[in-house]
């Protein structure tokens, strides 16, 4: 009796030890047999993506239009007449872009300038804070992304965003798209979900820069804010830049050279 | 039993209503045994990313995982059981081979009367036409 | 007890039928909205929440306000409210049902609603609002039903219910506080970004909710034999008076802070509401109506002789409800979104279908309220709490 109990305990201890090690064994085996995901080999990587807009070079509706077109056609963004439109990238005046830094006597140049507007991909994004389903979330590289599959369309993020960067699909977006001219590599959205600029996360994964940056003839600089030697940091070091509504503490990742 | 007759009549009517869809189906298909639909398979590709059995059984779970890996985790390459890599994309990987949604996805989905909402956003390889709404 | 709702006069069934017709009309509009999307509403890029969420906010207040009867009764043993308590609780149930209804009709993908539970996100106030509202609904159903059942059987209320009732009293404050937090924690929405918003919400709820309740009870008194008693009405009117005074005071605090500090962002929303900006002044008449009605009702309430005049009281309560509804069910939401983040004005006004869908939710609430009040008045009648102004019944 005694002996068998001792044996039992020994056996139990041994089994427990095996159990402890087996997950590790499983992980080792995963390299070959088990299917798994991994990042693309040719992706562009950063700790925090950021953009610098040189408004001295890019400041008219005519100059901004091709960038908007590049963005909206790649991402199948509809154009809806009226106040229910969808916007990923658009243009605004100084007053609209920086309403908290007004000036009663601005320079003529500044008064005429148009500024590109897009999601700021904030470091402290209020939209992510308020989303009840994590449908909008912040990636480790700082990009504020949207999961359209999960969005319930409560529009809390739109109330939370102090930059008006989010658009809701009030109706069926395909009703306002030229369905023959769609980019078939990218989906559309469905009605009832919120959408916005995604910093071309799908292009970064393929080693390409965002579409607007590519179309900007150097007026937009894109890179890793956390890397002191990156192009964006160089541009920020050499120029006077401002961000939208800095007092709100959202820490936008889009900078404007004035 | 109080109200016994009424209760039993009610139950019979209830059961009858419950069976209507089944009876209707049997009547409309002429009582024929269920036939697996014939799917159009890719011509120049013999092997899917995983085995046919796995895909048949698990494709919905796999697509769910793909969605989360690509979109939420930023992992856009799928390494299959044989160690072969694939780009994670419904439109740009799956539908490049299965180039006709109507002859592949819809066949089983229609038979099983399921309507996954993939195509509310994702664009089918046949493309969309402006007339069809 | 449900069987009591199944026997009623032709008037009762007529009223229920009428409500069902309203629900039917609204439901048709809702089906339309489900098929084509929220584009049939007046909401837009800039005013992205509208009439639905505004009604939701107002009704959370109504739901919370039941506590103004429950609290004196349980915390202060104010026995005069003994037979009013159940009406407060049942009103809360109907109000929460409408709150949930307004959320459901507002969201773009209602079939994915359970994502809120599937992916719980404690950093979102909306998650907590879901928790507190459903919790409050459950608490009131449990407490209301058990208490009424025990009354009917002439049995004392069970002891184990006490802690649950105390919880529900605290809970009532939480539902409106959390609802205020939905708004007041958002950067860049100046009209909402104020620490006093939750307090304002509670003050406005504790005057408008009991006012609405008292109006409904006065109607109940006319159409059934139930009488809450003159003293109970007087006390409730007094509670409404204090809450309205605090409500007006809090709003004046906002006006002072905005205009004395002279900070444009803080002034713009109020300027839009009360004077209009850039020529957009659609809300101006509404807001001034609210001001006149609000101050008028307060004047009528603070004067004891006028407050205790029970033929005048319904009118006083009526204009109070209108004033607080405009403030919270219209001005609060639209003012918060106007001007937009670019300091521009986008005009919002609800569309016909939007109003009909809202009517559906309100009619559903009225239906729930009618059925619950029918049950409650019948039970009270059995207890001989009738128009004799005496209050027997269980201890």
């Amino acid at each position: 009796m005694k002996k068998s109990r001792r044996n039992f305990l020994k056996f139990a201890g041994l089994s427990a030890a095996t159990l402890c090690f087996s997950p590790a064994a499983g992980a080792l085996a995963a390299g070959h047999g088990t299917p798994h995901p991994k990042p693309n080999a040719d992706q562009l990587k950063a700790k925090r993506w950021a953009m610098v807009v040189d408004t001295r070079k890019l400041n008219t509706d005519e100059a901004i239009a091709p960038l908007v077109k590049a963005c909206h056609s790649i991402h199948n963004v509809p154009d809806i007449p009226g106040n229910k439109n969808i916007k990923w990238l658009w243009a605004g005046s100084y007053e609209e872009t920086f309403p908290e830094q007004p000036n009663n006597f601005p320079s003529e140049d500044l008064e005429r300038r148009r500024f590109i507007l897009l999601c700021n991909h904030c470091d402290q994004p209020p939209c992510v804070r308020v989303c009840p389903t994590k449908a909008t979330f912040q990636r480790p590289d700082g990009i504020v992304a949207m999961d359209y599959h999960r969005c319930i369309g409560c529009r809390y993020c739109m109330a939370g965003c102090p930059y008006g960067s989010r658009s809701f699909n009030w109706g069926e977006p395909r009703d306002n798209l030229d369905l023959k001219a769609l980019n078939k590599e990218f989906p559309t959205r469905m009605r009832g979900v919120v959408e916005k600029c995604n910093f071309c996360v799908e292009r970064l994964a393929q080693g390409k820069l965002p579409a607007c940056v590519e179309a900007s003839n150097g007026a937009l600089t894109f890179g890793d804010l956390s890397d002191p030697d990156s192009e964006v940091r160089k541009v920020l070091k050499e120029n006077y830049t401002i961000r939208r509504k800095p007092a709100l503490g959202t820490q936008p990742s889009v900078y404007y050279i004035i | 039993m109080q109200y016994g007759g009424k209760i039993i009549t009610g139950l019979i009517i209830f059961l009858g209503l419950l069976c209507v869809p089944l009876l209707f189906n049997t009547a409309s298909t002429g009582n024929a045994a269920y036939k697996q639909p014939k799917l159009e398979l890719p011509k120049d590709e013999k092997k899917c990313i995983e085995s046919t059995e796995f895909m048949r059984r698990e494709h919905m779970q796999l697509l769910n995982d793909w969605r989360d890996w690509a979109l939420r985790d930023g992992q856009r390459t799928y390494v299959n059981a044989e160690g072969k890599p694939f780009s994670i994309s419904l439109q740009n990987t799956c539908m490049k081979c299965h180039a006709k949604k109507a002859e592949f996805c819809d066949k089983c989905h229609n038979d099983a009367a399921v309507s996954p909402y993939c195509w509310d956003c994702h664009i089918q390889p046949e493309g969309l036409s402006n007339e069809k709404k | 007890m449900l069987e009591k709702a199944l026997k009623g006069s032709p008037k009762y069934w007529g009223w229920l039928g009428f409500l069902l017709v309203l629900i039917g009309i609204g439901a048709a509009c809702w089906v339309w909205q489900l098929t084509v999307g929220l584009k049939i509403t007046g909401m837009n890029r800039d005013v992205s929440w509208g009439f639905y969420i505004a009604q939701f906010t107002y009704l959370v207040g109504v739901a919370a306000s039941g506590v103004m009867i429950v609290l004196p009764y349980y915390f202060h043993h104010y026995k005069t409210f003994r037979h009013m308590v159940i009406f407060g609780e049942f009103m809360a149930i109907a109000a929460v049902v409408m709150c949930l209804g307004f959320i459901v009709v507002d969201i773009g993908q209602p079939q994915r609603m359970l994502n809120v539970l599937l992916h719980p996100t404690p950093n979102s106030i909306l998650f907590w609002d879901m928790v507190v509202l459903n919790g409050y609904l459950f608490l009131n159903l449990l407490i209301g039903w058990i208490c009424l059942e025990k009354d009917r059987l002439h049995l004392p209320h069970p002891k184990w219910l006490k802690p649950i009732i105390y919880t529900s009293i605290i809970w009532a404050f939480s539902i409106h506080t959390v609802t205020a937090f939905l708004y007041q924690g958002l950067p860049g929405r100046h009209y909402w970004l104020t620490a006093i918003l939750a307090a304002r919400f509670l003050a406005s709820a504790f005057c408008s909710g009991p006012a609405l309740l008292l109006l409904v009870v006065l109607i109940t008194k006319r159409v059934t034999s139930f009488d809450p008693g003159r003293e109970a009405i007087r006390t409730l009117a007094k509670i409404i008076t204090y809450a309205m005074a605090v409500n007006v005071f809090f709003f004046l605090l906002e006006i002072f802070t905005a205009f004395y500090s002279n900070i444009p962002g803080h002034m713009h929303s109020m300027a839009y509401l009360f004077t209009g900006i850039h020529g957009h002044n659609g809300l101006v008449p509404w807001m001034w109506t609210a001001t006149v009605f609000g101050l008028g009702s307060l004047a009528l309430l603070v004067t004891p002789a006028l407050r205790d005049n029970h033929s005048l009281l319904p009118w006083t309560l009526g204009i109070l409800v209108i004033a607080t509804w405009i403030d919270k069910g219209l001005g609060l939401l639209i003012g918060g979104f106007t001007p937009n983040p670019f300091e521009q004005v986008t005009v919002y006004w609800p569309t016909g279908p939007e109003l009909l869908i809202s009517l559906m939710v309100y009619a559903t609430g009225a239906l729930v309220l009618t059925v619950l009040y029918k049950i409650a008045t019948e039970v009270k009648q059995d207890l001989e709490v009738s128009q004799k102004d005496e209050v027997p019944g269980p201890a």
Side-chain angles (χ1 to χ4, degrees):
Chain A
M1 192 71 193
K2 230 178 192 174
K3 202 179 168 188
S4 76
R5 187 165 110 197
R6 204 162 132 192
N7 276 340
F8 171 76
L9 285 173
K10 261 189 198 163
F11 182 72
L14 219 87
S15 318
T18 326
L19 273 175
C20 287
F21 284 110
S22 54
L28 281 173
H32 303 290
T34 330
H36 62 276
K38 64 173 195 190
N40 287 356
D42 52 353
Q43 68 166 352
L44 297 180
K45 274 204 291 200
K47 280 218 182 81
R48 189 174 163 206
W49 288 114
M51 181 187 279
V52 184
V53 182
D54 192 340
T55 69
R56 297 165 307 190
K57 291 183 192 160
L58 182 72
N59 53 34
T60 61
D61 280 330
E62 295 72 45
I64 293 171
L67 278 63
V68 175
K69 189 156 183 285
C71 168
H72 285 192
S73 62
I74 281 183
H75 297 116
N76 299 323
V77 178
D79 189 17
I80 306 163
N83 57 19
K84 292 182 167 71
N85 203 359
I86 311 282
K87 296 176 185 178
W88 282 34
L89 190 70
W90 71 106
S93 65
Y94 177 84
E95 220 183 33
E96 291 165 339
T97 313
F98 305 103
E100 285 174 359
Q101 287 118 293
N103 195 341
N104 47 356
F105 296 111
S107 72
E108 281 184 0
D109 165 46
L110 201 62
E111 215 176 2
R112 272 197 304 266
R113 270 189 212 178
R114 302 288 286 170
F115 298 79
I116 70 161
L117 293 164
L118 68 160
C119 170
N120 276 308
H121 296 276
C122 303
D123 193 39
Q124 301 289 324
C127 54
V128 171
R129 201 181 309 147
V130 301
C131 177
T133 61
K134 303 186 191 81
T136 192
F137 58 98
Q138 193 174 31
R139 289 163 38 108
D141 59 6
I143 293 180
V144 175
M146 267 301 297
D147 186 344
Y148 305 113
H149 309 87
R150 190 181 288 185
C151 176
I152 61 170
C154 70
R155 310 191 293 293
Y156 198 8
C157 56
M158 295 177 78
C161 177
Y163 303 105
S165 296
R166 293 180 157 266
S167 310
F168 181 71
N169 284 286
W170 300 100
E172 177 56 55
R174 289 182 180 181
D175 290 351
N176 289 284
L177 277 165
D178 181 5
L179 297 183
K180 293 207 174 71
L182 291 179
N183 172 18
K184 283 170 81 178
E185 314 254 288
F186 200 81
T188 65
R189 263 68 57 200
M190 66 197 297
R191 81 180 126 73
V193 298
V194 173
E195 64 177 276
K196 66 169 196 72
C197 154
N198 65 352
F199 252 16
C200 281
V201 72
E202 82 287 359
R203 289 170 60 89
L204 295 173
Q206 298 167 355
K208 291 188 250 179
L209 282 174
C212 57
V213 176
E214 217 168 63
S216 71
N217 294 320
L220 303 184
T221 313
F222 192 79
D224 189 352
L225 201 59
S226 69
D227 173 7
D229 301 321
S230 70
E231 189 69 11
V232 275
R233 284 289 291 273
K234 209 180 121 224
V235 175
L236 288 175
K237 218 178 286 175
E238 290 165 1
N239 295 281
Y240 173 68
T241 54
I242 57 173
R243 291 185 287 176
R244 296 173 65 197
K245 302 190 181 179
L248 301 181
T250 57
Q251 301 286 359
S253 298
V254 178
Y255 297 75
Y256 294 86
I257 302 175
I258 297 301
Chain B
M1 190 161 62
Q2 236 179 336
Y3 304 117
K6 278 182 190 165
I7 290 173
I8 288 168
T9 324
L11 276 176
I12 289 172
I13 293 174
F14 174 72
L15 280 175
L17 285 173
L18 209 66
C19 294
V20 162
L22 300 173
L23 295 170
F24 180 79
N25 251 359
T26 331
S28 62
T29 54
N31 225 348
Y34 175 72
K35 274 205 202 94
Q36 213 169 18
K38 277 243 177 313
L39 304 185
E40 191 177 312
L41 295 175
K43 288 180 185 76
D44 30 337
E45 193 64 61
K46 285 279 154 280
K47 246 172 137 182
C48 197
I49 56 164
E50 299 288 354
S51 71
T52 311
E53 292 69 41
F54 179 86
M55 293 311 290
R56 192 174 289 159
R57 208 176 53 238
E58 304 282 347
H59 68 277
M60 47 300 253
Q61 185 55 46
L62 184 80
L63 286 171
N64 259 355
D65 290 341
W66 270 31
R67 177 195 66 205
D68 288 348
W69 288 335
L71 193 59
R72 302 191 72 90
D73 308 338
Q75 304 199 312
R76 289 177 183 251
T77 300
Y78 175 76
V79 183
N80 75 359
E82 292 170 6
K84 209 176 151 201
F86 294 91
S87 173
I88 294 184
S89 170
L90 174 64
Q91 273 169 244
N92 303 324
T93 302
C94 306
M95 304 315 281
K96 282 280 137 66
C97 290
H98 300 290
K100 284 182 189 158
K101 165 180 163 272
E103 296 300 319
F104 189 73
C105 311
D106 292 352
K107 279 275 170 78
C108 294
H109 291 163
N110 287 348
D111 266 22
V114 293
S115 45
Y117 63 89
C118 311
W119 311 104
D120 287 359
C121 297
H122 290 281
I123 301 167
Q124 60 215 57
E126 294 97 322
L128 301 159
S129 68
N130 284 322
E131 300 85 57
K132 201 176 73 185
K133 289 259 159 83
Chain C
M1 284 187 294
L2 265 178
E3 75 278 0
K4 292 195 185 293
L6 296 175
K7 278 183 217 141
S9 63
K11 255 191 196 163
Y12 169 72
W13 287 109
W15 169 243
L16 289 191
F18 171 68
L19 289 176
L20 282 172
V21 169
L22 295 185
I23 293 171
I25 295 169
C29 282
W30 186 39
V31 170
W32 181 29
Q33 182 188 286
L34 284 174
T35 40
V36 302
L38 284 149
K39 68 177 178 189
I40 63 168
T41 70
M43 289 184 274
N44 51 61
R45 276 187 70 79
D46 294 317
V47 187
S48 47
W49 279 341
F51 200 74
Y52 298 148
I53 293 296
Q55 302 321 298
F56 158 78
T57 310
Y58 186 77
L59 289 165
V60 176
V62 175
S65 71
V67 80
M68 285 292 100
I69 293 166
V70 181
L71 189 146
Y73 179 65
Y74 284 103
F75 280 2
H76 301 279
H77 305 287
Y78 185 70
K79 297 291 178 202
T80 317
F81 276 170
R82 179 186 295 158
H83 293 289
M84 286 277 275
V85 168
I86 190 69
F87 293 95
E89 287 161 350
F90 278 180
M91 175 109 147
I93 292 171
V96 177
V97 167
M98 288 189 270
C99 290
L100 298 175
F102 275 112
I103 292 285
V104 172
V105 299
D106 182 71
I107 61 181
Q109 288 289 336
Q111 73 275 28
R112 292 187 196 159
M113 204 162 47
L114 293 180
N115 277 359
V116 179
L117 295 172
L118 205 59
H119 308 285
T121 313
N123 51 274
S124 171
I125 301 295
L126 204 54
F127 168 78
W128 290 109
D129 216 26
M130 183 272 302
V131 171
V132 293
L133 274 178
N134 284 301
Y136 194 61
L137 179 61
F138 171 75
L139 284 173
N140 275 291
L141 274 173
L142 182 78
I143 296 165
W145 203 258
I146 288 182
C147 288
L148 195 62
E149 181 77 37
K150 295 294 172 190
D151 284 355
R152 191 174 70 114
L153 302 170
H154 296 270
L155 288 171
H157 297 170
K159 274 221 173 69
W160 57 265
L161 205 59
K162 270 280 165 68
I164 297 176
I165 292 169
Y166 292 158
T167 310
S168 87
I169 291 172
I170 311 292
W171 204 284
F173 288 85
S174 88
I175 63 168
H176 218 26
T177 305
V178 172
T179 305
F181 283 1
L182 281 180
Y183 299 101
Q184 74 180 65
L186 303 178
R189 305 280 176 192
H190 300 291
Y191 192 49
W192 300 336
L193 189 73
T194 158
I196 210 174
L197 194 71
R200 262 184 74 197
F201 269 29
L202 286 167
S204 106
F206 292 159
C207 59
S208 64
L212 208 56
L213 176 71
L214 200 44
L215 280 175
V216 177
V217 166
L218 289 176
I219 295 170
T220 311
K221 190 180 154 190
R222 283 189 73 148
V223 298
T224 71
S225 62
F226 171 74
D227 188 354
R230 213 178 152 75
E231 193 52 36
I233 295 176
R234 281 174 53 136
T235 310
L236 199 53
K238 226 176 270 171
I239 291 173
I240 295 167
T241 309
Y242 278 110
M244 185 60 180
V246 174
N247 183 32
V248 171
F249 174 62
F250 283 174
F251 189 72
L252 293 174
L253 295 184
E254 297 275 25
I255 301 269
F256 170 79
T257 308
F259 289 93
Y260 193 81
S261 71
N262 201 35
I263 296 173
H266 291 267
M267 296 188 291
H268 280 168
S269 294
M270 289 191 208
Y272 172 69
L273 292 176
F274 286 96
T275 64
I277 42 178
H278 309 325
H280 300 293
N281 49 15
L283 278 172
V284 174
W286 290 88
M287 293 313 289
W288 284 107
T289 306
T291 310
V292 172
F293 279 15
L295 293 176
S297 67
L298 189 59
L300 293 173
L301 281 169
V302 290
T303 322
L306 297 175
R307 182 176 66 233
D308 291 337
N309 179 342
H310 286 193
S311 46
L312 181 65
L313 188 62
W315 298 98
T316 311
L317 298 175
I319 61 171
L320 185 146
V321 169
I322 294 170
T324 48
W325 180 83
I326 294 174
D327 168 37
K328 213 163 161 187
L330 213 56
L332 178 91
L333 249 278
I334 303 178
F337 280 114
T338 321
N340 69 8
F342 310 98
E343 288 289 331
Q344 307 298 312
V345 175
T346 304
V347 176
Y348 162 80
W349 196 247
T351 60
E354 200 173 354
L355 292 175
L356 285 175
I357 293 171
S358 304
L359 186 68
M360 168 185 81
V361 181
Y362 270 118
T364 311
L367 189 84
V368 172
L369 192 75
T370 307
V371 168
L372 290 176
Y373 272 32
K374 174 82 168 47
I375 296 169
T377 48
E378 297 256 325
V379 171
K380 296 289 175 189
Q381 223 162 324
D382 294 349
L383 297 173
E384 289 170 16
V385 185
S386 62
Q387 315 241 353
K388 281 173 280 170
D389 219 359
E390 56 187 58
V391 190

